[in-house]
Amino acid sequence: MNRENKMAQLALFKKECKSFFSQIYHDTEKILVFGEGNVNSPMVLVGEAPGEQETIKQRPFVGKAGKNLEEFLDILELEREDIYITNVVKFRPFKKNEKTGRLSNRPPTREEIDLSRVWLIKELTIIEPKVVVSLGNTALKTLSGRRDIKIGDVHGNPFDIEIGDKGYVTSLFPLYHPASIIYRRELKAIYEEDLKKLKAYMDSLV
Ligand code: URA
């Protein structure tokens, strides 16, 4: 598919996705944050779900985790606009403090992930990247379809996955979530090593 066709398909995808979730969740705070970037990128990054900043700005990875993502892109010698970035869940999973009314992030539930998976598959089928980089356990489990898989066991080691049921096979490259190195500093060196492996892997594909 050329760029124009992909853009047209993505516009339709967003419309359908919005309409689907508005029937399920009547909650107006569930604002959808869609993927963005280069639709012809050979690499797509898939995070977990948008947080507060992402929901305000309606863009993925622009909060704290986005800062780590910038360092990540430096190692890959890429600009944000070069690649396509999205999330498994397209809305912010939050809980509300009944006393203060304040919202805070929480991990997505199994139900939210199951409802979102089909939309992620549709999105990836439009972009058709050569490599899908999963950031953290939620994206890894959702994309591999394996609940028992753990990022600690497979990070930095790509394997093939089938996306959807039309025979589209791509490579899944698992990475730790960029936010995990905020609270687990010991992962920083491992993370950088994995990024270098990813760069070599991408270079080997061209
Ligand atoms: N921001 C996102 O868009 N996704 C994440 O997974 C984390 C922060």
Side-chain angles (χ1 to χ4, degrees):
M1 239 194 286
N2 65 24
R3 188 174 179 282
E4 282 65 38
N5 284 343
K6 285 187 182 182
M7 296 302 283
Q9 293 279 320
L10 279 174
L12 189 63
F13 159 82
K14 289 180 192 174
K15 215 170 140 199
E16 289 175 355
C17 184
K18 263 189 198 157
S19 143
F20 175 80
F21 282 108
S22 67
Q23 284 164 30
I24 299 200
Y25 300 115
H26 302 286
D27 178 344
T28 51
E29 280 161 308
K30 278 206 168 52
I31 297 162
L32 299 189
V33 178
F34 289 106
E36 66 172 26
N38 176 5
V39 294
N40 285 331
S41 169
M43 184 203 294
V44 166
L45 304 189
V46 182
E48 181 175 276
E52 183 183 22
Q53 284 307 311
E54 285 78 12
T55 306
I56 292 170
K57 300 194 177 115
Q58 306 243 309
R59 298 182 62 199
F61 281 98
V62 289
K64 254 193 219 149
K67 280 236 165 315
N68 289 57
L69 190 72
E70 276 167 30
E71 284 177 33
F72 167 130
L73 292 171
D74 281 349
I75 295 181
L76 295 176
E77 294 172 25
L78 287 172
E79 302 291 332
R80 196 181 155 108
E81 306 70 55
D82 295 336
I83 55 168
Y84 187 88
I85 306 175
T86 192
N87 283 301
V88 173
V89 175
K90 305 290 192 255
F91 50 83
R92 178 188 184 198
F94 63 78
K95 46 184 189 256
K96 199 173 202 160
N97 180 317
E98 291 308 330
K99 273 195 197 142
T100 62
R102 279 182 66 99
L103 306 182
S104 57
N105 296 343
R106 59 163 171 78
T109 61
R110 173 81 47 83
E111 187 204 48
E112 287 168 336
I113 293 171
D114 285 346
L115 289 173
S116 299
R117 179 185 291 113
V118 46
W119 296 99
L120 177 63
I121 288 170
K122 280 183 203 267
E123 188 179 21
L124 292 173
T125 309
I126 297 169
I127 312 275
E128 274 200 318
K130 287 188 185 146
V131 180
V132 180
V133 178
S134 57
L135 303 173
N137 267 318
T138 299
L140 172 64
K141 287 174 196 264
T142 306
L143 286 159
S144 66
R146 288 172 49 192
R147 289 205 174 131
D148 59 331
I149 201 166
K150 289 195 189 85
I151 186 66
D153 297 334
V154 297
H155 66 92
N157 294 303
F159 58 94
D160 282 354
I161 51 164
E162 188 168 346
I163 305 265
D165 52 13
K166 305 233 162 55
Y168 164 44
V169 174
T170 187
S171 225
L172 177 64
F173 196 104
L175 285 181
Y176 281 102
H177 194 283
S180 60
I181 55 173
I182 299 173
Y183 49 88
R184 285 182 64 193
R185 295 311 292 176
E186 77 279 10
L187 286 183
K188 196 165 189 325
I190 299 171
Y191 200 69
E192 285 175 5
E193 216 34 60
D194 286 349
L195 284 172
K196 286 181 195 149
K197 278 196 208 165
L198 173 58
K199 174 149 181 31
Y201 186 66
M202 293 308 298
D203 290 346
S204 77
L205 296 179
V206 285

